[in-house]
Amino acid sequence: MLENIEKYLQEVAAFESNDPARIEQFRIRFAGRKGIINELFAAFKNVPKEDKPRYGQLLNRLKQAVNQKVAELKAAAQESKSSQGGGLDVTRPGYPYRLGARHPVMIVRNRILDIFRRIGFNVSEGPEIEDDWHNFTALNLPEYHPARDMQDTFFVELHPDWLLRTHTSSVQIRYMEKHRPPIRTVSPGRVYRNEDVSARSHLMFHQVEGLYIDTGVSFADLKQTLLYFTREMFGEKSRIRMRPSYFPFTEPSAEVDVYWGLETEEDYRITKGTGWLEIMGAGMVDPNVLRNMNIDPEKYSGFAFGMGIERIVMLLYQIPDIRLLFENDMHFLEQFKSVL
Ligand code: PHE
């Protein structure tokens, strides 16, 4: 019996391999559930009494030797594997990076800003949480003015004066607080209105505001600027039309339509058979607004405009439902990758 164990000890000491499968075989042969070591332990009760201490000692030594051997060989095998490239199969196809895509609203926003940058406008921004003064009062919309109803407002419970801005016109005010004419700025950003969400309107959307103030700015300048914009945005052949309208902060005010065409049935549907689509509000800055900002209306005049970005996105990409733009469905958003 004792000689048996000694023989095994020699065998263990002599075993060498760097093949993980063979090492595992070796481990199972000795240390497996039905392996040699367990067998020898089971045989312990049949060992003559006087041999028992020696037997126990040798058996424990064998057990340790096996464990140590297996650990050593496994580590060595692992190391030689990684020094040969770690089992890396360089012919395997790689994991492709998922390229991000710019959101269509951002693509169009950037294009709009670029078009105005080219004629000397800078870009300015303001906060989405506004106070009454910047969103309404300074824009010639005093409290109880009925035109406040044009834009249903989300108020912020924390403070009776705070609200989510209903338009980017608030940035006009912030800009005039900090800058004196000449002013040429475009202000992109999110706006919020307490409206039912539908295919055509959302409670959150994006606008780009424009403000131009200098000496001798006329309605002709406004028209020419918007025509330039439309041609850059929608193509050389596009036309605009201005319809009289009302905004408290501009006088006179207009709604601006772009000619979309009547060539296809789709054009008919989108434009309700007229070929024209409204894309923005605009007008000459009301003298009251200039006065609120300590700008002398006798000396300076200017124009302002505000357009909804989603409206233009939907036109350019023929997207039928505004909600698609805010669901963040990757399959939808990835389609716009190639556009810019
Ligand atoms: N603020 C207006 C709106 O949100 C748009 C506008 C901006 C009109 C500037 C005139 C001048 O509807």
Side-chain angles (χ1 to χ4, degrees):
M1 287 280 237
L2 293 173
E3 301 83 77
N4 261 353
I5 303 185
E6 264 158 11
K7 215 183 72 210
Y8 285 138
L9 272 167
Q10 277 165 22
E11 189 187 330
V12 170
F15 180 74
E16 288 300 339
S17 173
N18 63 5
D19 174 1
R22 281 203 56 208
I23 298 168
E24 181 60 7
Q25 262 172 22
F26 169 85
R27 187 192 66 78
I28 291 168
R29 184 160 112 80
F30 281 96
R33 209 155 49 82
K34 292 182 180 161
I36 289 166
I37 291 170
N38 279 345
E39 233 166 59
L40 290 170
F41 269 113
F44 188 75
K45 56 180 185 298
N46 306 324
V47 176
K49 202 166 177 217
E50 62 278 18
D51 283 344
K52 271 195 159 114
R54 178 95 184 111
Y55 185 92
Q57 228 174 27
L58 280 175
L59 189 46
N60 277 328
R61 214 152 88 200
L62 178 66
K63 195 176 158 187
Q64 260 173 27
V66 169
N67 287 344
Q68 203 180 334
K69 189 66 157 192
V70 168
E72 269 171 28
L73 291 181
K74 269 190 181 165
Q78 185 64 39
E79 199 168 298
S80 79
K81 196 170 126 189
S82 50
S83 66
Q84 289 162 17
L88 177 73
D89 177 359
V90 293
T91 64
R92 274 187 62 182
Y95 298 106
Y97 283 110
R98 261 180 97 105
L99 263 193
R102 208 158 256 156
H103 194 287
V105 169
M106 283 297 147
I107 294 173
V108 169
R109 165 197 183 270
N110 292 347
R111 247 178 88 182
I112 296 170
L113 297 183
D114 259 1
I115 290 169
F116 284 104
R117 273 200 204 98
R118 292 207 285 276
I119 54 170
F121 282 74
N122 66 14
V123 176
S124 55
E125 285 178 290
E128 290 177 26
I129 299 176
E130 261 302 358
D131 51 40
D132 183 277
W133 168 255
H134 292 92
N135 196 78
F136 292 127
T137 309
L139 286 162
N140 203 30
L141 261 137
E143 212 179 340
Y144 306 121
H145 192 293
R148 283 197 179 202
D149 290 347
M150 282 162 73
Q151 300 172 354
D152 287 315
T153 310
F154 284 117
F155 293 93
V156 177
E157 280 184 359
L158 271 177
H159 195 289
D161 208 36
W162 291 353
L163 46 89
L164 299 182
R165 68 177 176 198
T166 57
H167 51 186
T168 43
S169 300
S170 56
V171 190
Q172 288 185 34
I173 301 302
R174 293 205 170 260
Y175 199 85
M176 286 188 275
E177 283 172 348
K178 292 229 172 72
H179 301 87
R180 298 288 87 191
I183 288 171
R184 282 185 222 99
T185 192
V186 277
S187 320
R190 272 188 193 156
V191 302
Y192 301 84
R193 290 186 196 171
N194 191 356
E195 275 170 19
D196 290 338
V197 176
S198 73
R200 299 181 60 81
S201 74
H202 209 284
L203 49 79
M204 180 210 70
F205 56 100
H206 297 75
Q207 288 187 328
V208 176
E209 190 85 7
L211 179 66
Y212 190 133
I213 297 175
D214 205 343
T215 52
V217 180
S218 72
F219 202 88
D221 297 318
L222 170 60
K223 257 161 93 174
Q224 199 54 38
T225 304
L226 295 183
L227 183 60
Y228 156 80
F229 165 74
T230 321
R231 292 204 165 143
E232 294 292 308
M233 194 74 202
F234 300 103
E236 270 304 306
K237 276 191 266 170
S238 54
R239 286 183 277 152
I240 55 170
R241 158 176 104 172
M242 296 174 100
R243 284 177 290 110
S245 183
Y246 174 76
F247 299 101
F249 32 92
T250 48
E251 180 59 36
S253 303
E255 235 134 16
V256 184
D257 299 339
V258 52
Y259 189 68
W260 186 250
L262 278 177
E263 275 153 38
T264 66
E265 243 176 76
E266 185 86 350
D267 297 340
Y268 254 89
R269 204 178 50 76
I270 297 177
T271 67
K272 298 192 184 110
T274 65
W276 293 92
L277 267 166
E278 184 200 323
I279 57 162
M280 66 175 107
M284 303 306 291
V285 178
D286 194 293
N288 284 338
V289 175
L290 295 177
R291 260 181 235 113
N292 285 340
M293 295 291 101
N294 289 317
I295 294 173
D296 181 1
E298 299 300 324
K299 190 167 170 209
Y300 292 105
S301 56
F303 61 73
F305 55 85
M307 63 184 102
I309 301 181
E310 282 78 3
R311 194 75 205 276
I312 298 176
V313 172
M314 290 166 76
L315 277 179
L316 285 179
Y317 297 112
Q318 303 281 291
I319 297 167
D321 189 324
I322 191 172
R323 289 170 289 200
L324 287 165
L325 293 171
F326 303 120
E327 278 165 2
N328 287 335
D329 177 341
M330 294 291 281
H331 299 296
F332 173 77
L333 293 175
E334 276 176 346
Q335 301 177 82
F336 305 95
K337 216 179 266 186
S338 57
V339 183
L340 209 84

